Amino acid sequence: MAYENLAFLIPLLPALAFAITFFVGKKTPYGGGLIPIFAIAASFLISLMITIGLLQNPDQVISQSYHWFAIFNLGILIDPLAAVMLTMVAFVSLLIHIYSVGYMSHDPAKSRYFAETSLFTASMLSLVLSDNILQLFISWELVGLCSYLLIGFWYQKPSAASAAKKAFLTTRVGDVMFLAGIIVLFADLFKLVNGSIPDGVYLLRFDEIFSYIPEIAAMNATILGFEVSHLTIITLLFFGGAVGKSGQFPLHVWLPDAMEGPTTVSALIHAATMVTAGVYLVARTFPMFIAAPQSLIIVAYVGAFTALFAATMGLVMNDLKRVLAYSTISQLGYMMLGLGMGAVVGAEAVGVSIFHLISHAFFKALLFLCAGSVIHAVGTHDMRELGGVAKVMPITAATMVAASLALAGFGIPGTSIGSTGFFSKDPIIENAYLFGEHAGNWFPYLFAIVAALLTSLYIFRLLFMTFAGKPRTNYGGHESPASMTVPLSILGILALFFGAIVVEPLNKFVSGTFVNNFVNMDIPALAEVGNYELVHHAGHEPLLIQWMPVIVAIIGLLITFVIYYQKAIDMSRFVSKDNVVYKLLYNRYYQNEIFTRLFAVRFVYEGLAMAGYHIDRFIDGIVNVISYLTIEAGDSFRKIQTGVIQHYSVAVITGVSLLVILIKLVMEVF
Amino acid sequence: MLPVLSLIVLIPLLFSAFAFLTKTREQARVVALMGTLITLILTLYMYFSFDSSSAAMQFEEMASWIPSLGINYHLGVDGVSMPLILLNAIVIPLLILFTWNDVRSASNRFYGLILAMQGAVIGVFISLDFFLFYIFWELTLIPLFFMVNIWGGPNKRHASMKFFIYTHVASLVMLLGIFGLYFAAWDQTGVANMGITHLVSQFPMIGSGIARDAIFLALLFGFLVKLPIVPFHSWLPDAYAEAPTAGSVLFILLKIAGYGIFRVILPMLPATGTPDMMITILGLLGSVSIVYGAFLALSQKDLKRMVAYSSVSHMGFVTLGAAGLVTLSISGAMFQQFSHGLILSIMFMSVGVIQASTGTRIINDLGGLATKMPKLAVIMMLAFMASLGLPGLTGFIAEFMVFTFSYVNVPTFVILALFGVVITAGYHLWAMQRTMFGVYNGKIGEVFDLSNVQTFSMAVIALLVLYFGLNPSPVLDMMITASNEIVSLMAAMGV
C-alpha cells in the first residue's frame, strides 16, 4: 500500500495552501481559492485511496510516529474510524471550497477567507489522524482558532466580533476540562510507569493509554464523599471538552451565534466538521469510556437531552440559519446518544454514531449551502420575508427537499429504501429502545423520539415558509451559478442514496476500529470493567417500534403542511408575545441572559474582576502607606542630622559596634 | 579561546559609553545597533557551539579577583542561562530597530541606557560568583529607573521611584541572604568563597534549620519581588505602564528573578528546614498569581496595564513549574521565561504602536483598528493568541508542560491555576474585540499602520514565537539537561 507513505501530506498540503494563500493569495486565481482547492482535492484523493486500501485489510492500520519534544510525539494513525472521517472531512471541505469560489466572489477579503479555511481543513485533518491525545488537543485548539477567526470574518460587524469571542470562550471552558483530563491521565500513567519513561515510549499515544485502562479504572478518588474511578473522572473531563466543541447542553450557547460568519463557514465548520470533533473524541477514546463506570450513561443523557432541548428552540426561530444551527445541536445530541448506547451494544455504537456523523455532514452541509444559495440570491435570511423561492431557484429547492427528507429520516423500515438520514438515525433510536428495554430506563428513547417529531416539524416549517407559497416581499433573486449548484447536487445525491448503499459495511468497518495491529481491545471485557451489560441485538423489535421514527416524521410533515402550506390553522394565537411557551422558546430559555449577562458580565467581570481590582488597590495602598511612613520617619530622623562632626562619629562608632556584635551573635547561632 | 562571555557583557557596556558620547540620535542608534549586532553574532556563535547534552558550565572563564574574600571573576553558561542570553541578544537589536524612527523619546542617552541594560542583564546570567552577580543585579536597576523617570508617562516620577525603592529593598534583603550564606559557609569550611555553586552546595551543612530557612527566605523574597509574584507585584503595573515602549520591553527581558529561582532557590530547597512549606509557598503564590493576575487584567481599562497584569499572571507559571520539582515541570517553567520574553515584547510593541498612532490606550476609546492597521492586526493577533496559550505557539508549550508535570507533585495548585485559563482567554479576546474589531471609531482620527522597520522587528519576533512553538527542542533540550542537573542536585541535598 504505497499511499500510506503519503499520509503525512493529508494535513500538510492544506497547511501549505494556507501559507501560500495567506501571503500571496490575492495574486492567485479566484482570489486565492484555487490553491486550497487543489491541495484539498489531493488530500481527499490520498484519504480515499487509503480508505479503499484499508477496506481490504481493516486490521492493518497505518501508524507512524515521530519524536516531537521532551517526551511527546507527533504521529499519524489511520484506522477505519480515522479513515472514514478523513475522507468525509476532505470531501466536504473540497465541495465547500468549490462552492465558496462562487459564494465569496464579491468579497474583497476572500483571500483571507480561503487562507483561514485552508488552515481549518489542515487542523481538522490533523485532529482526525492524531495518534496521540496531545496532538489531538493541539489540533482541537487550532480548529477552535479558525472557527473564531471565521465567525469574526466580517469583524467590522460588532455582532460578528462578539459572536466570535463568545464561541471561543464558551468552547474554551470545555477545552480546559479536556486539558485537565489529559493532565490527570498523564499523572496516572506517570505513576503506573513509576516515574520513568523508557526512550521511544510515548505515554500519551492511544495504544499506550489504552493498554493501561484496567489499571486506571482501578484507581479511585473520593469526591464529595463518593468513590469515583479515575477513569470516570478522566473520561468525563474529556466529555466536558466534547460538550464545548460539539455544542452539547449547557455549552451549546455559542453555536447559534456562530452563524454570524459566512454561510459556507457555518456549513463546513459549524455543521459538518469541527462541531463533530467532540463526537470524534469520544469515539476515539471509546475503550476508555466503556471501561469507565457511569461515563457512557452520562454521555447518553446529555446527548438525548440536547437532542430534544435544541429541537424545541429550532421550532420558533425565524432566521434560516438559526433553525439549522439548532438542528445541528440537536443532531450532535443524537450522535452523543448513539455513543452513549455503547452501554448496551458495545463497539457497534461507534459505527452507528460515526455513520450518523457522516450522514449528517452530508445533509447538514447541504442544508446550509442551500440556505447560503438562497441568501446569496435574495440577500435575506429571515424566513418571514421569503416564500416561493422554489420558483426562482429550482435546483436549490430540489436539493433542499432531499436534505430535509434525510434530516427528518424518511425511509421504509425493513427494506433498503430510505434517505441516508433514515439509515443513520434509526439505529441510534433503536439502540435507545434496546437500552430502555434492557436497563429499564426509557428517558433516552423518549427524548430521541420526541426530538425526531420536532425535527420533522422545524425542518418542514422551514421548507414550506421559504420555498413554498408566494413571495412575501419583493426580493428578486435568481438561481446560483454552477460552481454552487454542482456541489449542491452532489451532496443531494449523497443525502438521498448514500445510506442505503453503505450502511451495513460502513458500520461494521468502523465498529471494528479497535482491533488491529495498533491496538487490540477486548471491548466486552472492558465493558465488564465499566459495569455495563452488553446485549446482542438481533433487530427483533416490535414492528411499531421499527416504524415509530418514520411515523413521527410523517406526522411532523402533515402538521406543517396543514399549518404552513394550507394555512388551515391560525398560528397567531401561539406565535405572540403573550404566549408563555412561545416567549420562553423564542428567548431561548433566557440562556443568553443567564450565561452572558448574569454569569459572564455580572459574576465574572463586575463581581470577581472588580473585586480583584479593589483588592489590588488595597495591596498597593499598603505599599504606599509603608513608603509614606518611611518618609515620615526619615523626616523625624532628619533632626539627628545636626551637622556636628562629633555626633556623627559617635553614631558611626555605635553603629559599627552594634553590627559587629550582631554578626558575632549570628555566627553563634550558626 | 575567545573570552566570549566577557565580550558579550563588555561590548554592550562599551557601546553604551559610545552611545552616551555621540551627539545625535541618528549616530546613537547606529552605534547601538552595531553593538547589539556584535553581541548577537557572538551569542549565536555561542549558541551553535553549545553542547545541549552537557550539564556542565560551558565557555567558563575564571580569574582570581579579591582572593582574601574568596571573590572571583567567574563566568559560565549552562542550559539555564543560554536561552535567556539568546532571548536578550535577539530581541534588543530588534527593539532598537523598532525605535529607529521614534523621534519623541529616542536620544543618545536612550540608546546608551538600552545597551547598559543589555550588558547588565547578560552579566547576571553569566556570573557564577555571588559578588559579581549582585553587582550586575543592582546595575539593572539604573537604566530602568532612568528609562521610566525620563521618558515615562504622566505618572513617571511616582512609578520610577516606587519601582526603584521596592525592588531595591528586596535586593537588600537578598543581599542579607547572600551574606548569611557566605559567612555561614566560611565558618563551616574555613575558606572564604563567593562562588554560587560552592555556596549552594554548602547550604545543607548549616546546622540550624531556622538559619537555613531565614537565608532561604531572604533570597526567595528578593527573587519573588523582582519576578514579581502576587502579593509583591504592585510596583509592576505602574512601572510597566508608565515606561516608554522600549522600557516595557526591557522590563520583560529582565528575566533575572526567574533565573535566580532556578540557579539558587531550587537546589537549596530540599535542604531548608521546612521544604514542604517552601514548596507550598512557591506553588500557591504561583497559582494565585496566575488566577489573580488574569482577573486583574480583565478589570483594566488601559490596554497597557492589562498587558502588564497579564505578565504577572504569566510569571505565576515560573514558580508553579518550579514547585513541580520534576525535570519537565522545571523545564516548562524555564521555557515559560523564554516564551514570555518573546510574546510580551510583541504585545508591548503593539500597545506602543496603538498609543503612538491614536494617542490613547484606553480600550473603550479604541475600536475597529484592524481596518486601518491590518499589519498590526495580524501580528497583534498572533501575540495575543500566543499569550493566551494557543497551541502551535510558544506559550502553549510552556503552560502545558508546567500544568502537566507540576500536577504530579502539586495537583491542588494546578487545578486552581486551571481556572485562570478561561479568564486569560477572556481578557485577551475582549481587548482584541474592543480595540481591533467592530466599527472604526471615528473619534480617533487618522491612524497609520506599522512602519517597515516596525513590521520587520515585530514580525521576526512573531516568527520566533511560531518557530519555537512548533519546534521547541532547540532551546528546550538544553533546559531539560539543566533541569535534570537541578533535580539531581536536589536529590543530593536529600529531601
Side-chain angles (χ1 to χ4, degrees):
Chain A
M1 204 160 56
Y3 291 104
E4 69 179 55
N5 299 326
L6 300 177
F8 73 99
L9 287 174
I10 296 173
L12 205 63
L13 288 173
L16 280 175
F18 155 70
I20 297 170
T21 314
F22 180 77
F23 286 109
V24 294
K26 283 204 178 92
K27 299 186 188 88
T28 58
Y30 297 112
L34 206 60
I35 294 170
I37 286 175
F38 275 117
I40 295 166
S43 297
F44 167 63
L45 284 178
I46 299 171
S47 311
L48 188 66
M49 295 325 275
I50 287 177
T51 310
I52 290 171
L54 208 55
L55 275 165
Q56 326 287 324
N57 279 316
D59 52 351
Q60 292 300 310
V61 303
I62 298 172
S63 156
Q64 297 158 3
S65 259
Y66 311 94
H67 178 77
W68 184 25
F69 73 96
I71 54 165
F72 303 114
N73 75 312
L74 292 177
I76 294 171
L77 166 65
I78 307 183
D79 59 359
L81 173 61
V84 296
M85 276 293 280
L86 281 178
T87 314
M88 181 280 280
V89 170
F91 177 68
V92 173
S93 176
L94 176 62
L95 287 187
I96 291 176
H97 273 81
I98 294 171
Y99 178 98
S100 299
V101 170
Y103 189 77
M104 298 299 286
S105 57
H106 308 302
D107 199 296
K110 57 176 177 270
S111 66
R112 179 161 57 88
Y113 168 86
F114 282 114
E116 287 169 359
T117 51
S118 307
L119 180 63
F120 168 77
T121 307
S123 317
M124 189 68 206
L125 292 169
S126 156
L127 186 155
V128 172
L129 51 66
S130 299
D131 76 341
N132 66 84
I133 197 84
L134 174 61
Q135 186 185 339
L136 197 153
F137 178 74
I138 288 174
S139 317
W140 177 278
E141 292 285 280
L142 290 180
V143 291
L145 168 76
C146 298
S147 161
Y148 166 76
L149 293 173
L150 284 163
I151 295 170
F153 179 71
W154 291 307
Y155 59 79
Q156 301 89 337
K157 263 168 68 187
S159 57
S162 170
K165 179 190 65 181
K166 184 171 176 180
F168 196 104
L169 286 182
T170 316
T171 51
R172 190 83 175 166
V173 174
D175 295 355
V176 172
M177 286 193 256
F178 185 7
L179 178 63
I182 297 176
I183 292 169
V184 177
L185 171 66
F186 181 83
D188 285 347
L189 294 171
F190 198 66
K191 212 173 286 168
L192 289 169
V193 297
N194 293 321
S196 71
I197 303 160
D199 272 348
V201 168
Y202 301 110
L203 281 184
L204 291 182
R205 225 168 64 171
F206 291 117
D207 53 344
E208 291 290 331
I209 298 173
F210 290 172
S211 69
Y212 289 103
I213 285 178
E215 285 89 341
I216 300 173
M219 294 176 164
N220 278 307
T222 313
I223 295 176
L224 305 171
F226 291 101
E227 280 276 295
V228 187
S229 161
H230 272 207
L231 198 61
T232 303
I233 298 173
I234 294 166
T235 47
L236 286 184
L237 285 169
F238 282 9
F239 183 58
V243 165
K245 207 54 131 198
S246 292
Q248 299 296 289
F249 180 84
L251 295 181
H252 62 282
V253 287
W254 64 273
L255 193 52
D257 289 16
M259 301 300 126
E260 288 290 343
T263 306
T264 44
V265 169
S266 309
L268 176 62
I269 302 183
H270 305 116
T273 59
M274 184 195 80
V275 288
T276 62
V279 178
Y280 183 75
L281 171 66
V282 177
R284 175 49 77 215
T285 55
F286 186 76
M288 299 171 73
F289 276 84
I290 199 156
Q294 305 306 326
S295 290
L296 279 179
I297 307 294
I298 291 173
V299 171
Y301 271 33
V302 171
F305 179 73
T306 308
L308 178 62
F309 179 70
T312 59
M313 290 179 281
L315 281 178
V316 298
M317 294 297 139
N318 291 320
D319 183 316
L320 261 180
K321 291 178 70 181
R322 284 198 185 248
V323 176
L324 296 179
Y326 282 110
S327 165
T328 304
I329 299 174
S330 172
Q331 295 299 311
L332 290 165
Y334 274 111
M335 294 172 211
M336 287 297 183
L337 171 65
L339 285 168
M341 288 306 104
V344 282
V345 297
E348 195 199 310
V350 177
V352 167
S353 177
I354 293 298
F355 184 57
H356 190 52
L357 190 161
I358 307 268
S359 133
H360 174 256
F362 293 149
F363 66 69
K364 188 54 65 62
L366 177 54
L367 285 170
F368 270 110
L369 294 184
C370 288
S373 179
V374 172
I375 294 164
H376 188 71
V378 304
T380 174
H381 31 84
D382 191 329
M383 296 193 290
R384 286 168 300 188
E385 297 171 14
L386 295 165
V389 175
K391 289 198 186 69
V392 268
M393 307 178 77
I395 303 175
T396 305
T399 51
M400 187 83 177
V401 170
S404 305
L405 290 175
L407 172 64
F410 275 85
I412 302 171
T415 66
S416 57
I417 302 168
S419 61
T420 306
F422 165 73
F423 286 106
S424 64
K425 193 162 73 174
D426 231 31
I428 295 177
I429 299 178
E430 266 178 44
N431 286 348
Y433 177 79
L434 202 65
F435 179 73
E437 207 177 39
H438 195 69
N441 188 334
W442 291 98
F443 281 110
Y445 179 70
L446 283 179
F447 280 36
I449 277 292
V450 178
L453 171 66
L454 299 184
T455 306
S456 174
L457 284 174
Y458 68 67
I459 195 62
F460 290 114
R461 168 175 176 265
L462 180 148
L463 209 58
F464 286 127
M465 275 181 85
T466 311
F467 289 92
K470 292 194 180 74
R472 280 182 284 277
T473 53
N474 193 8
Y475 51 72
H478 52 84
E479 184 58 278
S480 296
S483 73
M484 291 163 73
T485 51
V486 170
L488 290 183
S489 309
I490 296 175
L491 285 171
I493 291 166
L494 286 170
L496 282 184
F497 305 114
F498 181 71
I501 303 164
V502 304
V503 57
E504 288 294 326
L506 200 108
N507 274 358
K508 197 162 152 274
F509 182 55
V510 176
S511 299
T513 200
F514 299 111
V515 181
N516 49 50
N517 57 334
F518 182 70
V519 290
N520 190 352
M521 307 312 297
D522 183 354
I523 297 288
L526 289 174
E528 274 178 39
V529 175
N531 282 328
Y532 300 107
E533 273 181 56
L534 302 189
V535 290
H536 287 286
H537 107 261
H540 50 64
E541 289 89 3
L543 205 60
L544 181 66
I545 295 301
Q546 287 186 34
W547 276 89
M548 201 62 192
V550 180
I551 293 172
V552 295
I554 295 170
I555 294 174
L557 172 60
L558 291 177
I559 294 175
T560 47
F561 181 76
V562 171
I563 297 177
Y564 294 101
Y565 191 76
Q566 296 196 318
K567 304 215 183 342
I569 297 172
D570 181 20
M571 287 299 285
S572 62
R573 221 158 48 92
F574 179 69
V575 183
S576 81
K577 299 279 176 246
D578 302 326
N579 188 314
V580 182
V581 178
Y582 178 78
K583 232 171 95 180
L584 189 66
L585 293 180
Y586 190 76
N587 290 311
R588 305 187 252 158
Y589 299 96
Y590 299 95
Q591 299 163 79
N592 209 30
E593 281 68 22
I594 297 168
F595 284 90
T596 311
R597 304 241 169 84
L598 222 62
F599 183 74
V601 177
R602 287 254 181 274
F603 179 66
V604 176
Y605 180 70
E606 290 175 2
L608 293 177
M610 282 304 152
Y613 180 77
H614 291 294
I615 293 171
D616 212 56
R617 293 274 300 264
F618 178 71
I619 294 177
D620 198 31
I622 295 176
V623 174
N624 288 338
V625 165
I626 292 173
S627 83
Y628 173 77
L629 289 179
T630 316
I631 293 167
E632 284 294 298
D635 265 353
S636 38
F637 281 133
R638 202 170 55 194
K639 291 170 190 126
I640 307 171
Q641 309 252 332
T642 50
V644 182
I645 297 289
Q646 285 89 331
H647 291 176
Y648 288 165
S649 21
V650 171
V652 167
I653 290 164
T654 327
V656 168
S657 331
L658 277 176
L659 200 65
V660 169
I661 293 166
L662 193 70
I663 290 176
K664 279 287 167 199
L665 276 176
V666 170
M667 295 301 221
E668 287 304 308
V669 175
F670 293 160
Chain B
M1 207 179 77
L2 202 65
V4 62
L5 288 183
S6 296
L7 286 176
I8 59 169
V9 173
L10 288 177
I11 286 170
L13 293 179
L14 197 66
F15 276 79
S16 164
F18 291 160
F20 275 112
L21 292 174
T22 54
K23 293 278 180 288
T24 63
R25 197 178 75 85
E26 283 72 19
Q27 289 167 344
R29 69 185 183 190
V30 174
V31 168
L33 189 64
M34 273 169 55
T36 51
L37 281 180
I38 297 172
T39 312
L40 176 63
I41 291 166
L42 288 171
T43 308
L44 287 177
Y45 157 74
M46 247 168 68
Y47 170 75
F48 285 113
S49 44
F50 187 89
D51 178 5
S52 309
S53 57
S54 158
M57 283 296 164
Q58 302 181 33
F59 304 96
E60 224 173 333
E61 289 172 38
M62 173 83 157
S64 190
W65 188 4
I66 312 174
S68 56
L69 295 176
I71 294 172
N72 295 305
Y73 178 78
H74 188 186
L75 308 177
V77 286
D78 64 356
V80 186
S81 43
M82 186 69 236
L84 295 174
I85 299 171
L86 189 68
L87 171 71
N88 268 273
I90 291 174
V91 176
I92 290 184
L94 294 170
L95 178 64
I96 287 165
L97 279 180
F98 180 82
T99 59
W100 201 251
N101 296 317
D102 183 1
V103 235
R104 193 181 66 90
S105 56
S107 72
N108 55 350
R109 289 177 304 168
F110 184 81
Y111 289 111
L113 289 176
I114 294 181
L115 285 161
M117 185 67 192
Q118 185 181 30
V121 174
I122 294 180
V124 175
F125 294 142
I126 62 176
S127 299
L128 294 181
D129 185 283
F130 259 128
F131 186 73
L132 206 54
F133 175 86
Y134 190 76
I135 291 178
F136 283 124
W137 177 282
E138 286 292 79
L139 197 57
T140 60
L141 276 180
I142 297 160
L144 286 176
F145 172 77
F146 284 112
M147 208 72 165
V148 180
N149 196 279
I150 300 175
W151 293 282
N155 202 11
K156 59 190 180 184
R157 283 186 180 285
H158 175 74
S160 58
M161 288 307 282
K162 186 169 169 183
F163 153 70
F164 189 88
I165 294 171
Y166 203 144
T167 61
H168 187 59
V169 168
S171 304
L172 289 177
V173 175
M174 179 182 87
L175 185 65
L176 281 180
I178 294 175
F179 278 158
L181 191 57
Y182 171 68
F183 284 117
W186 191 348
D187 211 38
Q188 213 81 49
T189 57
V191 186
N193 191 335
M194 263 288 187
I196 293 179
T197 331
H198 170 79
L199 287 182
V200 168
S201 71
Q202 289 302 312
F203 180 68
M205 313 300 171
I206 302 170
S208 146
I210 298 170
R212 287 196 307 253
D213 277 3
I215 290 171
F216 182 83
L217 284 175
L219 290 167
L220 184 63
F221 180 73
F223 295 136
L224 290 188
V225 170
K226 197 79 171 192
L227 195 60
I229 210 86
V230 175
F232 309 117
H233 64 285
S234 62
W235 60 269
L236 180 142
D238 285 340
Y240 280 34
E242 292 301 320
T245 303
S248 308
V249 174
L250 290 179
F251 269 117
I252 284 302
L253 297 177
L254 188 70
K255 294 278 170 252
I256 54 179
Y259 169 77
I261 288 176
F262 301 122
R263 177 70 78 222
V264 181
I265 294 295
L266 277 184
M268 283 170 41
L269 192 140
T272 51
T274 51
D276 285 344
M277 191 184 84
M278 300 304 174
I279 295 169
T280 308
I281 291 178
L282 280 176
L284 181 67
L285 291 184
S287 51
V288 165
S289 295
I290 293 171
V291 178
Y292 182 82
F295 274 115
L296 260 294
L298 184 63
S299 74
Q300 299 306 312
K301 300 194 162 26
D302 175 340
L303 191 60
K304 199 167 184 183
R305 285 185 82 89
M306 189 206 87
V307 176
Y309 274 107
S310 88
S311 179
V312 175
S313 181
H314 285 124
M315 281 295 104
F317 284 96
V318 175
T319 56
L320 181 60
L325 295 185
V326 292
T327 305
L328 290 175
S329 78
I330 297 171
S331 324
M334 290 179 184
F335 197 77
Q336 173 72 351
Q337 291 237 85
F338 182 77
S339 149
H340 176 258
L342 293 174
I343 297 168
L344 267 280
S345 297
I346 316 179
M347 289 178 70
F348 274 121
M349 286 176 178
S350 305
V351 176
V353 171
I354 289 177
Q355 184 177 18
S357 185
T358 66
T360 180
R361 302 189 307 236
I362 304 302
I363 296 170
N364 284 339
D365 292 351
L366 297 163
L369 291 182
T371 16
K372 306 275 175 178
M373 307 170 90
K375 282 191 266 181
L376 175 71
V378 170
I379 295 179
M380 189 167 155
M381 176 62 96
L382 184 133
F384 270 51
M385 283 295 158
S387 177
L388 68 77
L390 189 87
L393 305 167
T394 52
F396 171 75
I397 305 278
E399 291 182 15
F400 179 75
M401 289 183 74
V402 169
F403 279 142
T404 307
F405 300 111
S406 299
Y407 186 85
V408 174
N409 279 325
V410 286
T412 323
F413 300 134
V414 172
I415 293 169
L416 177 62
L418 278 171
F419 283 98
V421 172
V422 178
I423 307 300
T424 303
Y427 67 78
H428 281 106
L429 297 187
W430 178 77
M432 226 30 216
Q433 185 196 342
R434 297 292 177 89
T435 54
M436 303 308 279
F437 303 146
V439 185
Y440 178 68
N441 186 343
K443 275 183 286 185
I444 301 169
E446 218 30 58
V447 295
F448 43 88
D449 202 355
L450 299 180
S451 69
N452 287 340
V453 278
Q454 284 173 331
T455 312
F456 175 78
S457 54
M458 289 169 78
V460 170
I461 306 176
L463 287 176
L464 289 174
V465 170
L466 181 65
Y467 174 73
F468 287 113
L470 293 173
N471 181 25
S473 299
V475 291
L476 189 64
D477 281 350
M478 58 180 77
M479 291 172 178
I480 293 175
T481 309
S483 310
N484 243 328
E485 177 70 8
I486 292 171
V487 171
S488 56
L489 276 178
M490 288 196 292
M493 296 264 175
V495 183

